[in-house]
Amino acid sequence: MTHQGTSGPSSGAGAGGRARAAAARARRKAAAGMKRLQSPGSMRRFAQQKRHAGRRIGFVPTMGALHEGHLALIRKARGQNDVVVVSIFVNPLQFGQGEDYERYPRDLARDMDLAREGGVDAVFVPEIADLYPEGYATRVTVGPLGERLCGATRPGHFDGVCTVVMKLLGIVQPHRLYLGEKDAQQLIILERMVADLDVDVRIVACTTVRDKDGLAVSSRNRYLTPEQRHQAPRLYQALRLAQREILIGHERDPERMAARMRDHIAAGPDFRIDYIELVDPETLRPRPVLTGRTLIALAAWLGETRLIDNIMVNVPGGRVAEGLGLTGRKR
C-alpha cells in the first residue's frame, strides 16, 4: 500500500531533484580524480580504504569497448553508491577455440574517457598475468546451467565467466554488482554462483538498452556490415512476435512458437540460427507448455557475428493448459 504524505507530490519531486543533484556532484568529483589501477593489490587497497571509511561500492565488470548499455549500468551504480568501480578486462577463459578473443574490440583510451564522463571513481585494468599468474589452476564450475542455451555451443564459456567474476569480486569487494539483462543466462548463472558460494554482494539487474530499431546494444555490433545491421533487428522483432502471440494470441505451445520465430528470423538471408528456446528462468530447462515466468532466449549468427537477445514473459493461464494435457500438442 502506498502512503502519500501531507506535502503531496512536490515533496517527491524535491527529493528526486536532490538525488539527481547529489549524483551530478558525485560525477564531477569522481571525474576530477578518477584512478586507473592495474594490480589486484592496488585495487584491493583502494576498496578497503573506501569500505573502512563507510563508503558503499558499486561495481560494473566489463570487457571494455564501452557502449550505451555499459554507461546505463554506470549511471545506475553512480546513483546508488558512494564509489563506482569499473573493470576492463578481456577475459581469455571465456573464449573458446576459434572465437573472437584476438579481434574483440579494444579502445582503452576511449573507454577511460567514457568512464571519466560517467563519474567513475576507479577503473581496474589488469593484465592477464595479474589475474592468471603462472601456476594458476583454479576454476569455478557452474554445472548444468552453463551447459544449456549458449553453453551448448560454447563449452566452458560460463566457467570462464564465473571464474573471472569470482576473482574480481574478491579484489574489488563491492556492495553491489551491476549486470545487464541482455546477457540473461550469464545473469542467472552469476546469481546462482553468488548464492551457492555465499558471496556478500547484491546483484542489481539492469534493463537491456536497445537502439531505436530494437537491436540490443553490444560491443560486437560494430562487426556488422551496413546490410547486416539492417537485418539485425529481426531478432528483437521475433521476440516481440512471441510476446504478442503468448499474451494476446494465447499461444501456449513452445515448439510452435519457436517455429514461428525461426521463420521470421530466417527471412533475413544472412542469418544462421544457433538456438531459440522458451525456458524456465530458474533452471533454463525448456518449458513443455508455456506457463508462469518464461525466458524467451535466442542466439544467431549474422554473417560472422554471433548475436544474442532475450525477453521475459509472464504467461497467464499456462498452468490451466498444462493441467488439461495440452503440453507440446501440435495442431
Side-chain angles (χ1 to χ4, degrees):
M1 182 171 66
T2 302
H3 173 73
Q4 183 171 317
T6 56
S7 296
S10 60
S11 63
R18 288 191 295 273
R20 287 190 294 272
R25 287 194 296 272
R27 284 195 299 272
R28 290 193 294 271
K29 183 177 179 181
M34 188 181 79
K35 294 182 178 297
R36 173 179 170 176
L37 305 170
Q38 177 177 323
S39 73
S42 63
M43 180 67 251
R44 189 177 292 110
R45 287 191 294 274
F46 175 88
Q48 289 171 345
Q49 290 169 1
K50 300 303 180 183
R51 276 182 163 265
H52 290 162
R55 312 294 295 280
R56 306 288 290 182
I57 301 174
F59 177 42
V60 181
T62 83
M63 294 203 300
L66 301 185
H67 52 63
E68 184 55 37
H70 297 120
L71 300 182
L73 299 180
I74 291 170
R75 286 193 293 270
K76 187 81 167 180
R78 182 74 275 166
Q80 294 183 339
N81 302 276
D82 304 305
V83 178
V84 176
V85 175
V86 170
S87 65
I88 297 175
F89 179 66
V90 183
N91 176 35
L93 294 191
Q94 67 191 71
F95 289 81
Q97 186 174 5
E99 293 188 345
D100 60 341
Y101 173 73
E102 294 296 337
R103 72 183 185 112
Y104 192 85
R106 295 165 170 86
D107 191 344
L108 183 57
R110 176 179 175 275
D111 290 343
M112 295 294 288
D113 287 342
L114 289 173
R116 187 175 293 105
E117 291 169 9
V120 171
D121 295 278
V123 181
F124 181 41
V125 193
E127 299 291 336
I128 292 175
D130 294 315
L131 292 189
Y132 307 125
E134 185 177 355
Y136 183 87
T138 302
R139 292 200 184 202
V140 178
T141 301
V142 298
L145 283 178
E147 298 167 359
R148 298 172 185 140
L149 303 181
C150 287
T153 54
R154 302 188 72 190
H157 168 72
F158 290 108
D159 290 355
V161 170
C162 287
T163 298
V164 75
V165 172
M166 194 67 190
K167 284 186 66 74
L168 290 170
L169 290 175
I171 295 167
V172 177
Q173 305 171 49
H175 297 83
R176 296 185 180 95
L177 171 65
Y178 292 81
L179 301 171
E181 292 178 347
K182 171 184 168 288
D183 298 297
Q185 184 175 13
Q186 174 176 280
L187 172 61
I188 291 164
I189 287 172
L190 290 175
E191 288 176 334
R192 172 50 53 197
M193 180 191 79
V194 163
D196 287 351
L197 299 182
D198 294 311
V199 183
D200 186 17
V201 68
R202 178 188 169 194
I203 292 180
V204 181
C206 300
T207 304
T208 300
V209 176
R210 300 182 180 278
D211 288 336
K212 290 182 179 180
D213 58 7
L215 178 65
V217 298
S218 168
S219 299
R220 289 185 170 97
N221 289 353
R222 64 183 67 189
Y223 295 159
L224 300 173
T225 67
E227 174 55 31
Q228 290 167 350
R229 179 60 187 80
H230 180 71
Q231 297 178 44
R234 283 189 170 276
L235 298 180
Y236 186 54
Q237 292 167 8
L239 292 169
R240 292 299 302 272
L241 168 67
Q243 184 182 48
R244 288 193 301 271
E245 288 297 312
I246 292 167
L247 298 180
I248 300 175
H250 306 291
E251 178 62 79
R252 297 295 179 265
D253 186 324
E255 293 181 12
R256 187 164 53 234
M257 192 65 261
R260 292 197 59 186
M261 295 174 66
R262 188 176 298 273
D263 288 344
H264 181 83
I265 295 170
D270 293 332
F271 276 109
R272 291 178 288 118
I273 296 171
D274 184 350
Y275 66 82
I276 297 174
E277 298 281 358
L278 296 88
V279 302
D280 181 328
E282 297 292 328
T283 66
L284 301 182
R285 292 186 180 277
R287 292 280 196 201
V289 65
L290 299 178
T291 180
R293 290 180 72 246
T294 296
L295 175 68
I296 309 174
L298 55 79
W301 290 91
L302 186 50
E304 298 303 313
T305 305
R306 188 175 184 274
L307 302 175
I308 62 172
D309 205 348
N310 70 86
I311 194 170
M312 191 76 74
V313 177
N314 289 308
V315 184
R319 297 195 184 280
V320 175
E322 189 173 24
L324 293 174
L326 302 180
T327 61
R329 189 177 71 180
K330 303 286 196 302
R331 289 179 181 171

